[in-house]
Amino acid sequence: VKEQKAEERMSITIFLLFINETKIATINMIIKRKNMFKLIDKGVWKRKPYFDHYFNQIRCSYSITVNIDISKIIYFKNRNHTKLYPLLIYVLAKAVNNREEFRTAINDKGELGIWETLLPCYTVFHEENESFSNIWTEWDDNLMTFLSNYERDIEMFGNNYGIDAKPNTPANTFPISSLPWTTFTGFNLNIFADGSYLLPVFTYGKYFQQDGKYLIPLSIQVHHAVCDGFHVSRLINEIQQICNDIK
């Protein structure tokens, strides 16, 4: 009887180890899939002449600032007692992950491709010393899951100082910052580098009320090599639609 019970315990232990290894393998597979970088075959890429023009001949980025109606976002925040910032981050990440042109980048090997998924990397402000830090959060299309991921990261890393509060920032992140102290009608980042950064850069301002609506200024800076005014306009419309659909 003792030997039988020992064998049963051993079987249960092996089964639990198998389950844990399976979970770990599944998690690793999901992470690997999200980090996938699909190379672009420029020989058949329809955007090749525009990319060559705005990257190799006239390297060009541009920015646009618009007001986004976040009335539905404010209503959701008040009803569910959530924070505004993660909701605004979610909206941008969802819109960006819906469109390949805003996930097009050059990897650390100098290869042009498209990230399967982009994770938001956003600034948090430290009022006590008037500095900021960057934190990245794992993306999930499910709003409540993403909000949970955000809260966990803020709890773990929100009080860390320095540029990167959360270590090991993946390559597949895009930047979001916020200026909640002022509204603006124009905002531009003058980056003195080689101009090879292709991912979009977003900056929110202070929201305000106008004609019974809550509006927030949003600056979007992009590289002309991967997207034109049409693509940015479509992105803006989709950002607004996502805001409207938050329930």
Side-chain angles (χ1 to χ4, degrees):
V1 175
K2 290 182 178 180
E3 291 179 357
Q4 183 179 356
K5 288 184 176 180
E7 290 178 357
E8 289 177 352
R9 286 196 296 270
M10 179 64 71
S11 298
I12 292 172
T13 301
I14 293 173
F15 176 74
L16 291 175
L17 287 172
F18 172 76
I19 293 297
N20 288 333
E21 289 177 356
T22 301
K23 287 182 177 179
I24 293 172
T26 301
I27 292 171
N28 288 336
M29 181 180 67
I30 292 173
I31 293 173
K32 184 177 181 181
R33 181 184 62 79
K34 286 187 174 182
N35 290 346
M36 280 182 57
F37 188 76
K38 181 177 67 176
L39 297 180
I40 291 176
D41 182 357
K42 293 180 69 175
V44 296
W45 191 34
K46 65 179 181 180
R47 187 157 183 89
K48 182 182 183 303
Y50 305 95
F51 180 87
D52 288 342
H53 182 73
Y54 288 115
F55 191 84
N56 296 322
Q57 300 177 38
I58 305 175
R59 196 161 292 192
C60 172
S61 64
Y62 62 97
S63 62
I64 183 172
T65 300
V66 296
N67 288 329
I68 300 295
D69 182 354
I70 58 168
S71 301
K72 295 288 183 67
I73 297 284
I74 295 294
Y75 178 79
F76 180 94
K77 177 187 82 71
N78 294 337
R79 187 186 65 188
N80 294 278
H81 307 289
T82 61
K83 297 176 181 177
L84 177 61
Y85 195 28
L87 293 172
L88 297 175
I89 294 170
Y90 172 87
V91 167
L92 296 182
K94 184 176 179 67
V96 165
N97 278 299
N98 283 342
R99 294 294 175 182
E100 287 190 348
E101 59 265 23
F102 297 107
R103 290 182 278 116
T104 303
I106 296 174
N107 65 12
D108 56 0
K109 298 178 182 178
E111 299 168 320
L112 180 67
I114 301 169
W115 289 109
E116 176 74 19
T117 304
L118 282 183
L119 317 180
C121 184
Y122 48 91
T123 58
V124 293
F125 183 67
H126 304 294
E127 187 173 355
E128 59 276 13
N129 67 356
E130 299 182 350
S131 68
F132 74 92
S133 298
N134 293 320
I135 295 179
W136 58 275
T137 289
E138 190 69 36
W139 168 243
D140 198 294
D141 190 69
N142 181 279
L143 175 58
M144 302 314 294
T145 300
F146 178 77
L147 293 179
S148 177
N149 293 345
Y150 171 90
E151 290 295 338
R152 183 180 64 248
D153 284 333
I154 291 296
E155 181 179 353
M156 293 180 64
F157 307 105
N159 293 322
N160 292 352
Y161 296 132
I163 294 292
D164 297 314
K166 183 179 179 180
N168 304 318
T169 304
N172 59 320
T173 60
F174 72 99
I176 301 171
S177 61
S178 177
L179 279 67
W181 312 278
T182 186
T183 61
F184 51 76
T185 57
F187 183 91
N188 187 67
L189 290 171
N190 299 304
I191 303 172
F192 296 95
D194 63 355
S196 62
Y197 186 79
L198 303 180
L199 296 176
V201 180
F202 297 92
T203 306
Y204 279 114
K206 180 181 180 180
Y207 74 87
F208 58 95
Q209 283 187 274
Q210 181 175 295
D211 299 327
K213 299 178 181 179
Y214 288 96
L215 305 177
I216 191 167
L218 173 64
S219 171
I220 307 172
Q221 188 151 323
V222 295
H223 204 298
H224 210 340
V226 294
C227 63
D228 306 320
F230 164 79
H231 304 99
V232 175
S233 298
R234 181 171 62 186
L235 178 71
I236 292 168
N237 291 335
E238 291 179 352
I239 289 171
Q240 184 61 71
Q241 189 60 53
I242 294 169
C243 288
N244 295 342
D245 291 342
I246 293 288
K247 297 177 181 178

